[in-house]
Amino acid sequence: MAQIREWHKQVNDERFVITTKRDLLDLDFIQNAFARDDMYWAKPLSHQDITLMLDSSQTLGVYQISPAVSAAASASEPSSPRTPSPTLEQEPQETYRQIGMARFITDHVTTAYLTDVFMDPDHRHLGLGIWLIACCKEIMESMTAFRRAYLMASPGAGAEFYAKTLGFWDVHEEHEKCIAMTRRGFKF
């Protein structure tokens, strides 16, 4: 299994993290993303199928970090932050809300297929999608015997974006050496 990786970024006053930690993935977020028209290639899956899919993939989740919230001050205490009581068993935890993702089907050494790239519409135009793709590029470049990466992109802006950010090209440019072949599933 690949090592866990994390990247942090602040945009204005908001903090974000991209991580490969599988246990942070929000299945409801992913199912809702799969149900969206802009993820036309995906459909929601059974809990068993989505779990198997994610367990068999390298995932990058994008999360908005909410700060830890201390216990509310009493009326006799100031409302400003206070030093935790020594009797407090556990410090308040930051919360992570998933807002995006990308998924690799990969052997972690030679080959990677990038799919299911998605950013919540409320968080688009903050540069988070470009950051996510930069993290994907870093993962591909860290593969020790990297041969090839693949993806399916929409013609036009989608293809141009991946060409510019990841150096991908249309496989037709290699028509004398290889062709891309596919078979659609029968459930759609």
Side-chain angles (χ1 to χ4, degrees), residues 1-7 20-21 58 108 138-139 142:
M1 193 59 142
Q3 71 180 34
I4 293 176
R5 300 180 72 168
E6 262 188 24
W7 301 263
T20 60
K21 288 180 185 172
Q58 169 86 53
H108 304 283
E138 190 175 314
I139 285 178
S142 71

Side-chain angles (χ1 to χ4, degrees), residues 30-47:
I30 296 168
Q31 292 284 43
N32 289 332
F34 283 0
R36 294 183 52 88
D37 289 341
D38 50 348
M39 280 190 85
Y40 59 88
W41 64 90
K43 300 287 182 241
L45 301 169
S46 70
H47 180 79

